[in-house]
Amino acid sequence: MLRAWVAASGDRLMLMPLLPTEPKVTKAVERVARAARQDDEECILVLQGGGALGAYQAGVFESLSKVYREPSWVAGISIGAINAALIAGNPASTRVARLREFWSLVSSSLAAPGLPEGLTSTATAREGLNEASATHVMLFGVPGFFAPRFPPAPFQPRGSLEAISYYDTAPLQRTLERLVDFDRLNAGTMRFSVGAVNVRTGNFEYFDSSKRRIDARHVMASGALPPGFAPVEIDGEHYWDGGLVSNTPLQYVLDQPGKHRRVVFQVDLFAATGALPTTLAEVTEREKDIRFSSRTRMNTTNELDRQVIAQAAQRLIAKLPAALRDDPDVRALSRVRCETAVDVVHLIYRSKHYESQSKDYEFSRLSMQEHWDSGRADMAHTLHDPRWTGREKRASGVQVFDLASDHPTSGSASTLL
């Protein structure tokens, strides 16, 4: 949920709307992008954790739903779980509005400053504004999200949840119960999955609307990052942020059986690649990027490799003579689940040069709008890219598309099989 030990306050200030800035997309280009989809595709949106950077995911969803289609399944970790709940727990006509309402609420403490035009665009000024915003969050919290405990944790009774967390997330529970229709979320029209970690066993667990009833506790458990937030109790067990084990739900999604070809839009909030730090502050930021992106990269690679191996095994078995079909090794290989084709579209938030290690708990209105706009632009760019609209519709195999990256070695589509 947050990648730092920070806090929140109640709804203190009047909300200012998070103003949309619509990209210029022609109807003709939009028709091309929509034509690239197939009705028998399962569209899945996978959302990583990353705190305040989660507004990028909201922008991604806005473009995805407008240009391509609504997902049939949303899966999230931490802030990705909150965004996923806002999507799955509302009708299609109000999903973007609910996302905007949430991000307007949590960024309402520090609205865009009334500084002379151009000043906020300079690196030094913006870095100062961002650090001031992050400090404000640490001291006073985020409206509708979380609040500092009083008295602080060291003065709370030993063994209580208040004694093992700095902040109270009761405001988030009220926000979720107001903005998310959990009856709709559990109705099954859009599958919903979030991951958390069992504090007692250390095991990862997914709460999936196709297997159990979901409420606000499951969403909050996925983002209960210690020691900032207390673990959330569900059925006698306590759960922490799923990012402690894996910051992306991609592995869970690909492990679930499916009948149709899948298009998975994986949205990450921390980039694996980056420059060598030049200051201690940059070291902290780089360390955080690596820590929370490396799991995504590892899980993506492992799961896609598994898909390739499973499909290769099925083709090999088909080539064997009948006499070998009953061999124990062949029977073992035949049990390896082979899915239909999978296209993974990878979108990664790229930090601005003035953002620091506090970027995931810097909730200013200015930064929220920038993150949202970046996600919307990256998704629109990807969906209009000829490499996507003209992609081969395979019956099997795995393709990975990274078309929005500004890294010089990225921005290409690769076919793994």
Side-chain angles (χ1 to χ4, degrees):
M1 186 170 290
L2 290 183
R3 298 292 167 234
W5 305 341
V6 294
S9 60
D11 303 359
R12 300 187 300 274
L13 301 180
M14 182 180 296
L15 294 184
M16 295 176 60
L18 192 64
L19 298 176
T21 53
E22 291 292 344
K24 295 181 179 179
V25 179
T26 66
K27 294 296 183 182
V29 173
E30 196 168 295
R31 284 196 297 270
V32 171
R34 287 189 178 277
R37 76 186 195 192
Q38 289 187 186
D39 291 337
D40 62 345
E41 288 179 348
E42 185 178 10
C43 179
I44 307 172
L45 183 60
V46 174
L47 304 175
Q48 188 194 50
L53 301 176
Y56 176 84
Q57 297 172 341
V60 166
F61 173 77
E62 183 179 10
S63 281
L64 177 66
S65 60
K66 178 180 179 181
V67 179
Y68 192 66
R69 69 179 354 168
E70 296 280 335
S72 55
W73 183 3
V74 285
I77 297 288
S78 204
I79 195 66
I82 295 176
N83 282 330
L86 292 166
I87 294 168
N90 284 286
S93 60
T94 63
R95 284 167 184 159
V96 173
R98 287 292 176 267
L99 286 166
R100 185 169 288 116
E101 186 173 352
F102 172 80
W103 287 103
S104 293
L105 170 61
V106 299
S107 63
S108 62
S109 285
L110 289 174
L115 297 178
E117 185 176 356
L119 181 57
T120 57
S121 64
T122 65
T124 302
R126 275 306 305 277
E127 186 174 350
L129 287 171
N130 288 3
E131 289 307 310
S133 172
T135 300
H136 185 276
V137 166
M138 294 178 68
L139 294 175
F140 303 108
V142 175
F145 201 154
F146 55 94
R149 294 194 184 281
F150 188 82
F155 301 98
Q156 297 282 356
R158 183 182 179 89
S160 66
L161 293 181
E162 291 79 7
I164 59 173
S165 57
Y166 291 113
Y167 309 109
D168 179 12
T169 55
L172 175 61
Q173 182 171 357
R174 293 192 292 270
T175 298
L176 289 171
E177 290 174 348
R178 179 172 63 87
L179 297 181
V180 177
D181 181 346
F182 283 97
D183 287 336
R184 175 180 290 274
L185 186 149
N186 287 286
T189 55
M190 179 185 291
R191 187 173 178 179
F192 172 85
S193 309
V194 293
V197 178
N198 186 306
V199 177
R200 181 180 60 84
T201 66
N203 293 331
F204 208 4
E205 182 168 343
Y206 271 90
F207 304 120
D208 193 322
S209 64
S210 69
K211 302 175 181 179
R212 66 187 302 168
R213 181 168 180 83
I214 302 295
D215 58 42
R217 295 172 304 159
H218 302 95
V219 182
M220 295 172 66
S222 182
L225 184 69
F229 301 154
V232 176
E233 182 180 358
I234 301 173
D235 299 332
E237 296 284 356
H238 289 83
Y239 295 90
W240 269 333
D241 192 305
L244 294 176
V245 172
S246 175
N247 205 30
T248 177
L250 180 66
Q251 179 177 345
Y252 177 78
V253 167
L254 294 182
D255 279 346
Q256 304 306 302
K259 297 180 180 179
H260 302 292
R261 70 188 316 276
R262 291 178 167 180
V263 178
V264 181
F265 292 89
Q266 178 176 310
V267 189
D268 290 351
L269 300 177
F270 295 94
T273 59
L276 181 69
T278 60
T279 67
L280 286 176
E282 290 178 0
V283 168
T284 304
E285 179 188 11
R286 188 74 195 106
E287 180 272 335
K288 184 180 290 187
D289 283 345
I290 293 172
R291 176 157 42 103
F292 290 112
S293 67
S294 60
R295 296 191 184 112
T296 297
R297 192 169 62 253
M298 178 189 70
N299 288 337
T300 302
T301 301
N302 289 346
E303 285 303 308
L304 295 182
D305 284 349
R306 184 185 66 81
Q307 294 279 341
V308 171
I309 292 170
Q311 291 161 4
Q314 295 299 318
R315 291 197 301 271
L316 177 62
I317 292 172
K319 298 174 184 178
L320 294 175
L324 293 178
R325 298 289 174 86
D326 288 333
D327 184 273
D329 291 334
V330 174
R331 289 202 303 270
L333 282 175
S334 67
R335 289 192 292 270
V336 177
R337 193 176 71 251
C338 183
E339 301 292 351
T340 57
V342 178
D343 290 344
V344 177
V345 183
H346 203 185
L347 294 103
I348 309 172
Y349 175 71
R350 303 289 172 175
S351 298
K352 310 297 189 297
H353 61 281
Y354 46 77
E355 291 183 307
S356 68
Q357 62 83 25
S358 65
K359 60 191 176 185
D360 54 339
Y361 61 96
E362 194 276 289
F363 280 84
S364 70
R365 175 61 51 77
L366 190 59
S367 293
M368 292 304 101
Q369 184 69 69
E370 289 178 345
H371 297 154
W372 186 300
D373 290 346
S374 293
R376 181 167 50 197
D378 284 352
M379 185 78 267
H381 170 82
T382 295
L383 293 175
H384 298 148
D385 192 297
R387 290 167 292 181
W388 169 252
T389 58
R391 75 191 190 281
E392 183 181 359
K393 309 298 196 309
R394 296 188 170 198
S396 63
V398 180
Q399 297 184 90
V400 181
F401 298 83
D402 181 4
L403 307 177
S405 173
D406 60 0
H407 192 269
T409 59
S410 299
S412 61
S414 60
T415 300
L416 299 188
L417 185 62

